[in-house]
Amino acid sequence: MAILYIDYSSPQNQYSYDVKQNVLFQKNEHNIINGLGRNQLNTLGNVSLLDIFLSSGNYVEPHIHQNASELVYCVSGTALVTFINPFNNEVININIHAGQTANIPQGFWHYEVATSENTHLLAIFDAPYPQAIYGSDILRLTPSQAIAQSYCIDQTSWEKAISPIQQTVIIGPPENCQQQRHVRPSHSERTYYSNHHFNSIYPPYNRA
């Protein structure tokens, strides 16, 4: 357990907070992420959370938390939580509904997608200031020449494919997306269900 040096006799101590007052990202009125960390509640230990509201087919885009594990709790609705285990390259899909959880270890590439309307998730972290590396940033900021030469693909085609990504996405797809939304995992991916036994702030969300 980490040692915390908090003066609990201080008159500046905070013991409660309205998470709705700290909107980290808002796509529209139905897709919002609120956050709570030590900046909002100064007596917090090594913990923080995101309060996530999603409509069906909306994603918290693929990303990594390089300094924290994430426990996803479903308050209402249903969601698919997917991550890649980097130790065996296995894709894990966990379908959760109200009262169920999915655990994402630190550094695992992952995403969440709502599979029903009015989905509400809590993402709980074992760090007061969880960091994130977003897939949209990796795609748009990696020089296209490096991608083309590394993977033997046409550079022009790659640049065209990623041209719509002009900023960090966070909640996707963008409002102007015309593609159909698919939320079911492919048959090649291994799927776990959270009601079965199975083994094994912020400013990152305010990027331009």
Side-chain angles (χ1 to χ4, degrees), residues 142-162:
T142 302
S144 58
Q145 182 180 15
I147 296 293
Q149 293 183 356
S150 294
Y151 306 113
C152 192
I153 63 176
D154 180 71
Q155 183 173 344
T156 301
S157 298
W158 172 254
E159 291 173 349
K160 181 179 179 181
I162 65 170

Side-chain angles (χ1 to χ4, degrees), residues 6-177:
I6 299 175
D7 178 7
Y8 289 106
S9 66
S10 171
Q12 305 303 318
N13 285 346
Q14 303 162 321
Y15 297 100
S16 65
Y17 186 79
D18 182 354
V19 181
K20 295 189 297 296
Q21 299 303 311
N22 187 36
V23 179
L24 300 179
F25 185 83
Q26 182 168 353
K27 173 181 172 180
N28 54 40
E29 62 179 331
H30 303 293
N31 294 276
I32 303 170
I33 300 176
N34 304 316
L36 175 69
R38 199 175 292 169
N39 284 351
Q40 291 74 45
L41 194 57
N42 61 16
T43 56
L44 276 181
N46 292 312
V47 65
S48 56
L49 65 82
L50 297 179
D51 195 25
I52 304 170
F53 299 87
L54 299 171
S55 54
S56 181
N58 280 265
Y59 285 70
V60 177
E61 69 160 313
H63 61 285
I64 290 170
H65 297 293
Q66 64 269 40
N67 72 331
S69 298
E70 177 179 349
L71 180 65
V72 182
Y73 175 79
C74 184
V75 179
S76 61
T78 57
L80 171 66
V81 179
T82 297
F83 61 82
I84 298 175
N85 183 336
F87 295 93
N88 59 12
N89 292 331
E90 185 173 26
V91 178
I92 305 296
N93 293 292
I94 306 174
N95 290 283
I96 57 175
H97 55 75
Q100 297 185 327
T101 61
N103 186 52
I104 305 161
Q106 178 178 339
F108 280 31
W109 180 252
H110 66 283
Y111 62 84
E112 296 90 15
V113 54
T115 52
S116 65
E117 297 294 341
N118 302 312
T119 292
H120 181 192
L121 305 174
L122 286 181
I124 304 163
F125 302 92
D126 55 356
Y129 306 105
Q131 300 168 342
I133 300 171
Y134 297 99
S136 55
D137 290 337
I138 293 174
L139 290 172
R140 70 190 178 94
L141 298 176
T142 302
S144 58
Q145 182 180 15
I147 296 293
Q149 293 183 356
S150 294
Y151 306 113
C152 192
I153 63 176
D154 180 71
Q155 183 173 344
T156 301
S157 298
W158 172 254
E159 291 173 349
K160 181 179 179 181
I162 65 170
S163 61
I165 308 174
Q166 298 296 316
Q167 60 185 7
T168 311
V169 172
I170 303 182
I171 298 179
E175 293 277 50
N176 60 356
C177 179

